[in-house]
Amino acid sequence: MKNDSVIIIPTYNEKENIERMICTLMALEPGFDVLVVDDGSPDGTAAIVKDTMTRFPGRVNIIEREGKLGLGTAYIAGFKWALEQGFEYIFEMDADFSHNPDDVPLLYNACAKDGYDLSIGSRYITGVNVVNWPMGRVLMSYFASKYVRFITRLPVRDTTAGFNCYRREVLETMELDKIRFKGYAFQIEMKFTAYKCGFKIKEVPVIFVNRVLGTSKMSGGIFSEALFGVIRLKMGSWFRKYPKRTKKVN
């Protein structure tokens, strides 16, 4: 029987992590498929993914893109593929184990059993649950989320979280081609748009652990995009009519 969920993992040079991550996800219950969106990794990440595809036929998939085109566009490509394939629950997740695979069922249950439309693996819902980050980065991330909440009035504590589960109706409704940001501001825009469309959001507490293997893609410029982008996002919302969910809220 086909699984109803797929986990989208964007990659660029993740050869140290991707095989172990896929194998770990394959062992989870109730069963999750994986889609890797690789942006032309020169380290052979795509070849490793293709090897795992032979070991887990039909459950591991890959989209290969030419060059680094941005986190946001990678997820949009993955979302469109997942919708075409008929998945009901669609995840965002990093390859580097900063997101604990054991938390995937918690996000799934928040949507599939508890009736939420978007579940967020939140670092800040029960304090600051971050391990092995430099203090400066912790403070930057924490206060960036507070800033986003202040500007947008979005009732989410971890606005830049990249560990999320969407019900398909959310992605079908929110007009993906109108999502503009490509970096980590993309995560803010997705949550803000889901909220404006009237969907129910649940933050699930998780512990975020800084990567051990591979190289971080985070930079100060990414946070700058998020900080200044939210002003444009908020101002743009004054002139945009957001589509509303069509199904009855439980």
Side-chain angles (χ1 to χ4, degrees):
M1 185 175 66
K2 177 181 171 63
N3 294 320
D4 63 358
S5 307
V6 64
I7 301 167
I8 301 172
I9 304 176
T11 56
Y12 184 78
N13 287 349
E14 291 289 354
K15 69 177 182 180
E16 297 93 346
N17 296 300
I18 193 61
E19 180 179 10
R20 185 162 67 96
M21 174 57 78
I22 291 173
C23 291
T24 302
L25 293 173
M26 289 294 101
L28 295 177
E29 295 294 340
F32 300 88
D33 286 5
V34 169
L35 170 67
V36 173
V37 183
D38 185 70
D39 272 6
S41 297
D43 71 344
T45 295
I48 296 171
V49 175
K50 290 175 182 176
D51 178 67
T52 66
M53 291 170 67
T54 65
R55 293 151 57 189
F56 303 101
R59 294 190 60 196
V60 180
N61 306 273
I62 188 170
I63 295 175
E64 295 183 81
R65 308 198 306 169
E66 297 294 329
K68 296 181 72 174
L69 302 177
L71 179 74
T73 64
Y75 273 127
I76 295 297
F79 291 155
K80 290 181 176 180
W81 179 93
L83 292 174
E84 289 173 357
Q85 298 298 314
F87 288 101
E88 181 62 30
Y89 303 101
I90 302 165
F91 288 76
E92 298 175 318
M93 188 176 184
D94 291 346
D96 61 9
F97 286 89
S98 55
H99 302 144
N100 186 345
D102 290 340
D103 291 330
V104 168
L106 301 180
L107 270 63
Y108 174 83
N109 289 338
C111 292
K113 295 184 178 179
D114 298 338
Y116 289 92
D117 303 303
L118 163 59
S119 59
I120 299 168
S122 177
R123 297 164 289 187
Y124 306 130
I125 194 66
T126 58
V128 179
N129 294 325
V130 177
V131 177
N132 293 335
W133 259 11
M135 183 55 65
R137 185 172 171 185
V138 173
L139 293 173
M140 184 185 299
S141 174
Y142 180 74
F143 285 107
S145 279
K146 279 189 169 291
Y147 167 80
V148 171
R149 290 180 67 200
F150 175 76
I151 296 294
T152 64
R153 304 304 182 192
L154 176 63
V156 171
R157 290 185 181 274
D158 195 350
T159 56
T160 61
F163 189 19
N164 308 297
C165 174
Y166 294 89
R167 285 185 52 251
R168 68 175 290 117
E169 186 194 355
V170 181
L171 301 178
E172 289 173 329
T173 301
M174 69 186 342
E175 300 174 323
L176 292 174
D177 288 335
K178 292 186 178 180
I179 301 296
R180 293 289 175 254
F181 292 117
K182 295 183 178 180
Y184 277 76
F186 165 81
Q187 299 292 2
I188 300 169
E189 186 175 7
M190 288 292 293
K191 295 174 182 67
F192 181 74
T193 304
Y195 171 68
K196 296 293 284 186
C197 290
F199 289 103
K200 297 195 301 179
I201 301 173
K202 170 72 172 180
E203 287 189 85
V204 177
V206 300
I207 296 176
F208 182 97
V209 180
N210 197 29
R211 70 161 62 232
V212 175
L213 299 174
T215 303
S216 174
K217 315 313 187 284
M218 186 66 67
S219 69
I222 286 173
F223 276 107
S224 295
E225 181 201 39
L227 288 172
F228 293 110
V230 293
I231 297 176
R232 299 198 303 272
L233 181 64
K234 179 63 175 180
M235 293 178 65
S237 72
W238 297 339
F239 307 100
R240 178 181 171 186
K241 183 176 181 180
Y242 290 87
K244 297 299 181 181
R245 61 179 307 153
T246 57
K247 296 180 182 178
K248 183 179 179 181
V249 180
N250 294 328

